[in-house]
Amino acid sequence: MRIVFAARLENAGLISEMLRRGHEVLIPDSQIAAFLQAGMAVKPIILPQDPNTIPGYLALTMEQKIQCVANAAPQVIDAITASGADAFVVWTDAPPLPRLMVLAAKARGIPTFEITHGSFNTYRQGHFEVESYVDYVLAPGQEEADFRAFYGSKAQVIITGKPTLDWTAMVDKPLVRGTLMEQADIRKRPIVLYGMTWRHPFSTWERDKDLGESEVFNAHKMLLNVCKPYLIIKPHPVMANMAERVRVMCDEAGMTDYAVTTMPVASILPACDLLVSHNSSLLVEGILCDIPAICFSFREWNDHRFHAGKGVECIERREDLLGSMARCLLDAPTKDRLASERVAAKHYYNGPNDGCATERVVTRIEELSARRMEVCA
């Protein structure tokens, strides 16, 4: 099969499996460098630059942004038409350019697949912002199907498990914790991971400016007098260049006993005693690693009731965060309840949760694409 994949680097394992099975994988030329550097035999497909990466794009008016996408349309249509693809795969079709690619592929009878990015529906917080246009959504778990159905989505959802979560099935938590404690030179202290969120002008987070950092920092300083936690702060991957700014922000807030890191989640999370984050797929990784987790969202609309009783403490008021962190670290009944909820939540958020989602996703793409080719033949 020839597969066009509008991928991100996090999809490298999936692409490796496609190549291992003998498929030809075409990657947009603007994204291919990292995959080639990783030794993958992928090929380029020449597509326009993603408007989001154009300097000054975010300052453009909505009309100007729409014009950027419209200008890209002829090249996208020509490239998809000439590709001879048997399948088109995208990590999400929410942004304009990937959606344009999906529509071009569908118009030419090419089956289209979305490998959903956020296991906590991070693109659909508080309301359903975008419908999927792909033929098939290869979803992490039943949560994706239920959430879409709740908001009236008509997308065809197929539960496969999430390839980027396969690592959680084989992680050695004691080894990761020992390594991290040695690197950070900490002993016999609770470790708290704060996974920061991203910022984007279309998000109401940007309006608020303070995304909740101050509450996390204040809670950490208060807890130092109780159980002396060590706080590890991880900026969102797309904001990794903010690490130094975060350190300055922490110092200005009088923070101690903390570190800011851009290390991979797999090198940090399994070592932790508590995860604190926004509506983030990181929370699902916490569930799968059996880490008590807190989700906070101080927006006027959220989906916390939808996720209640699923292994995560959901906080809506800033003043409640300190107490929740204290209970998750120190209160045995709270920790036992969350552990009990995680048993079912693991499968709810990540399907079979067997570490084989990568193979399962590629198999479903093969099967559904072959079925389309049989119908067309």
Side-chain angles (χ1 to χ4, degrees):
M1 282 175 53
R2 176 175 290 179
I3 303 170
V4 175
F5 198 153
R8 306 207 314 178
L9 192 54
E10 67 184 45
N11 304 123
L14 196 54
I15 293 172
S16 293
E17 178 64 16
M18 292 173 175
L19 294 170
R20 188 189 69 79
R21 297 193 188 190
H23 300 307
E24 184 180 8
V25 181
L26 280 63
I27 303 291
D29 56 309
S30 61
Q31 302 167 318
I32 198 170
F35 298 100
L36 293 174
Q37 290 172 3
M40 298 183 185
V42 294
K43 298 179 180 179
I45 177 171
I46 309 302
L47 289 166
Q49 181 183 6
D50 188 332
N52 280 296
T53 65
I54 297 174
Y57 174 77
L58 296 180
L60 298 179
T61 65
M62 183 57 66
E63 290 78 9
Q64 290 171 322
K65 292 177 181 178
I66 292 172
Q67 189 59 52
C68 286
V69 177
N71 292 342
Q75 185 180 349
V76 169
I77 293 169
D78 290 346
I80 296 297
T81 302
S83 69
D86 300 300
F88 180 85
V89 183
V90 64
W91 66 277
T92 177
D93 70 356
L97 188 62
R99 183 178 299 186
L100 180 57
M101 297 177 195
V102 166
L103 293 174
K106 289 186 68 174
R108 277 138 193 81
I110 302 169
T112 54
F113 304 85
E114 177 181 333
I115 311 298
T116 54
H117 166 59
S119 299
F120 223 68
N121 277 286
T122 51
Y123 276 93
R124 302 175 178 89
Q125 299 171 7
H127 59 290
F128 203 82
E129 293 175 344
V130 290
E131 174 64 289
S132 292
Y133 285 75
V134 293
D135 296 303
Y136 309 101
V137 176
L138 303 182
Q142 187 63 39
E143 182 260 358
E144 177 88 22
D146 290 351
F147 196 96
R148 287 174 177 269
F150 179 80
Y151 279 106
S153 169
K154 305 302 181 185
Q156 184 170 346
V157 179
I158 298 172
I159 296 171
T160 58
K162 189 176 181 181
T164 52
L165 298 178
D166 282 348
W167 69 271
T168 62
M170 58 198 78
V171 65
D172 186 335
K173 290 177 62 176
L175 176 62
V176 176
R177 184 175 180 90
T179 301
L180 184 64
M181 294 182 75
E182 182 177 347
Q183 291 173 340
D185 193 26
I186 52 179
R187 295 289 183 273
K188 297 181 178 179
R189 299 175 61 179
I191 301 173
V192 178
L193 174 62
Y194 170 35
M196 299 183 74
T197 191
W198 58 309
R199 297 172 186 260
H200 194 289
F202 75 62
S203 172
T204 55
W205 285 120
E206 189 68 13
R207 174 206 64 204
D208 297 336
K209 302 302 179 184
D210 176 4
L211 313 188
E213 298 100 333
S214 58
E215 272 63 38
V216 177
F217 296 165
N218 289 337
H220 171 67
K221 288 188 284 187
M222 295 291 288
L223 288 169
L224 283 173
N225 299 318
V226 180
C227 57
K228 204 169 177 61
Y230 189 81
L231 180 67
I232 298 177
I233 304 168
K234 180 172 172 56
H236 189 280
V238 302
M239 309 300 289
N241 59 353
M242 287 182 58
E244 187 55 40
R245 286 175 56 190
V246 173
R247 292 187 186 95
V248 172
M249 183 168 57
C250 290
D251 290 341
E252 291 176 347
M255 291 276 287
T256 62
D257 300 80
Y258 79 93
V260 180
T261 183
T262 58
M263 291 171 59
V265 171
S267 300
I268 310 169
L269 180 59
C272 296
D273 298 283
L274 174 62
L275 166 65
V276 181
S277 191
H278 312 260
N279 285 36
S280 167
S281 52
L282 182 61
L283 295 164
V284 174
E285 293 177 284
I287 291 171
L288 301 183
C289 289
D290 282 309
I291 308 296
I294 295 172
C295 169
F296 65 86
S297 176
F298 305 135
R299 302 163 76 169
E300 55 268 57
W301 299 101
N302 59 59
D303 291 299
H304 287 177
R305 289 179 179 83
F306 185 86
H307 296 105
K310 304 278 193 316
V312 175
E313 292 284 76
C314 296
I315 302 301
E316 300 180 6
R317 301 189 306 171
R318 294 176 182 269
E319 59 267 29
D320 293 340
L321 184 60
L322 170 60
S324 183
M325 289 177 65
R327 287 190 295 274
C328 286
L329 285 170
L330 303 170
D331 183 57
T334 298
K335 293 195 285 186
D336 290 344
R337 173 176 55 79
L338 290 173
S340 177
E341 292 176 358
R342 287 195 298 268
V343 174
K346 289 179 181 180
H347 297 283
Y348 184 64
Y349 286 109
N350 196 42
N353 193 40
D354 56 4
C356 299
T358 298
E359 293 84 351
R360 192 176 297 109
V361 163
V362 178
T363 296
R364 293 313 300 267
I365 292 173
E366 291 171 338
E367 293 172 347
L368 293 167
S369 299
R371 191 179 305 168
R372 175 72 64 87
M373 287 187 278
E374 289 173 3
V375 170
C376 293

